[in-house]
Amino acid sequence: AKETGRGRYENYRPEMDAEREERNRLEVDLRIAIERREINIVYQPVVDATNWRLIGVEALARWTRKGYGPVPPDVFIPIAESSGLIDQLGLFVMHRACERIADWPGIKLAVNISPGQFRDPEFSQHVASMFRKTGTDPSRITLEMTEGYFIQNPDRARAAIARLKKLGVEIALDDFGAGFSSVGYLRQFGFDRMKIDRSLVHAMSEGDHAVQTLQATVALARSLGMPVTAEGVESEDQALKLRMTGCDELQGYFFGRPMEAHEIDVIYRTDRGR
Ligand code: C2E
Ligand code: CA
Ligand code: CA
Ligand code: CA
């Protein structure tokens, strides 16, 4: 198939078919894994910035694909989003995690929400009924969202946030500093918390300018009465600087990687003195 000039085989690459096929297979396997409840959930500790004690966890989905091994969430979440599986997957993660935090009184739970989920007008009803079923106090729950949908669809995003806030959950803007979001956004959409992306935290080690940017950002959020979580904290030095900057919650490998629930049990008993 090698024609000269404007031949229609000109841009044909056999790899394209192979890629598409592999993606389809991934999607099929993911669908099966969700149906069979084979998605695992790990929990990353979130600590109080002043005393480093456990105050919350973030639920993160994990998938070990049969015959292949672990597939990173940065790969399977986008597939779930583009194939309509995200509603089912997202609610499953939230449901499981809500059941689990019953064992950790006083601990908050953060769950990631994809735009695809919260675009569904019935999403807040699904969440409300799941809270009832699991006996979850909504004030323990933070829903984390990234800015993408807010930029594309500001009016609908604002309405969706308002519906969710009526349930009594906290809404956090995730990955702040990784995109275009400004502190103005936070206020405009009614976010309750700002979550600083790890790229900003890591930039802090590289010089004064980044520290100043971070300080100004956090100060602005605080002046709006908005609490701030920093993620991707990998060193004691970062933890101390972030505390001085005004972050009230910290999360990152320095305090703990995402781990199995039974490992959180141990930290919980130690930190909560039980
Ligand atoms: P995210 O919500 O920003 O989650 C934080 C990510 O940073 C996690 O990656 C976590 O393992 C990683 N991380 C935590 N501490 C550190 C650190 O100190 N250093 C570094 N380098 N990384 C750290 P993970 O688990 O691979 O998840 C990636 C993304 O996938 C998440 O980013 C989130 O956007 C998405 N995701 C994961 N689970 C779910 C889910 O159940 N639903 C939805 N919608 N998205 C999910
Ligand atoms: Ca998150
Ligand atoms: Ca994040
Ligand atoms: Ca992210």
Side-chain angles (χ1 to χ4, degrees):
K2 201 176 173 198
E3 293 185 356
T4 49
R6 296 142 293 168
R8 65 191 196 91
Y9 301 114
E10 201 179 27
N11 295 318
Y12 176 77
R13 290 187 298 120
E15 315 88 85
M16 280 161 67
D17 280 353
E19 277 164 25
R20 197 169 306 133
E21 241 172 68
E22 168 56 11
R23 205 196 135 86
N24 288 345
R25 274 198 297 265
L26 261 172
E27 187 184 317
V28 168
D29 286 358
L30 180 60
R31 187 180 301 271
I32 293 169
I34 294 170
E35 273 162 14
R36 294 185 181 161
R37 308 276 184 265
E38 287 169 357
I39 302 297
N40 189 34
I41 296 147
V42 288
Y43 301 87
Q44 185 172 31
V46 178
V47 305
D48 183 321
T50 56
N51 58 21
W52 295 0
R53 283 170 63 165
L54 183 75
I55 45 169
V57 292
E58 176 174 3
L60 295 158
R62 292 289 179 270
W63 176 34
T64 303
R65 188 183 181 199
K66 286 237 162 66
Y68 292 85
V71 181
D74 290 331
V75 172
F76 74 80
I77 295 290
I79 292 175
E81 283 169 347
S82 65
S83 59
L85 291 167
I86 193 67
D87 301 83
Q88 213 187 332
L89 175 62
L91 274 177
F92 172 72
V93 170
M94 206 190 291
H95 195 131
R96 271 283 157 87
C98 281
E99 287 173 340
R100 207 57 175 83
I101 60 162
D103 296 342
W104 309 320
I107 295 292
K108 302 191 294 173
L109 169 69
V111 182
N112 295 289
I113 304 297
S114 290
Q117 286 176 272
F118 109 113
R119 211 178 293 141
D120 173 4
E122 282 173 9
F123 176 62
S124 65
Q125 280 141 264
H126 295 316
V127 174
S129 86
M130 195 274 295
F131 285 165
R132 275 193 302 274
K133 264 185 235 157
T134 54
T136 303
D137 173 359
S139 70
R140 294 176 69 186
I141 308 298
T142 303
L143 303 182
E144 299 189 353
M145 304 169 189
T146 49
E147 62 180 20
Y149 186 58
F150 297 89
I151 291 171
Q152 284 162 24
N153 246 313
D155 295 332
R156 291 177 63 184
R158 200 170 297 130
I161 284 216
R163 280 196 299 272
L164 287 170
K165 285 182 74 162
K166 277 199 199 120
L167 301 180
V169 299
E170 182 186 74
I171 312 283
L173 180 60
D174 205 351
D175 298 349
F176 188 92
F180 304 101
S181 37
S182 65
V183 176
Y185 258 87
L186 291 166
R187 191 164 40 184
Q188 196 188 331
F189 288 100
F191 283 100
D192 302 302
R193 173 175 291 275
M194 173 163 108
K195 206 156 173 190
I196 298 206
D197 190 64
R198 63 167 181 264
S199 60
L200 266 190
V201 171
H202 294 179
M204 219 172 47
S205 320
E206 275 147 37
D208 290 346
H209 181 66
V211 181
Q212 281 159 16
T213 307
L214 196 70
Q215 268 167 348
T217 306
V218 175
L220 206 49
R222 302 300 307 235
S223 74
L224 300 171
M226 189 168 302
V228 179
T229 304
E231 67 182 345
V233 182
E234 293 182 353
S235 70
E236 179 170 9
D237 183 54
Q238 286 170 343
L240 296 173
K241 278 188 186 143
L242 288 162
R243 168 69 203 131
M244 283 193 296
T245 300
C247 295
D248 64 311
E249 296 182 4
L250 305 175
Q251 178 181 350
Y253 295 166
F254 178 65
F255 298 105
R257 294 192 173 243
M259 56 185 85
E260 300 290 332
H262 66 83
E263 297 173 279
I264 296 286
D265 287 336
V266 176
I267 297 178
Y268 182 81
R269 281 195 296 269
T270 314
D271 275 19
R272 298 265 154 177
R274 280 201 337 180

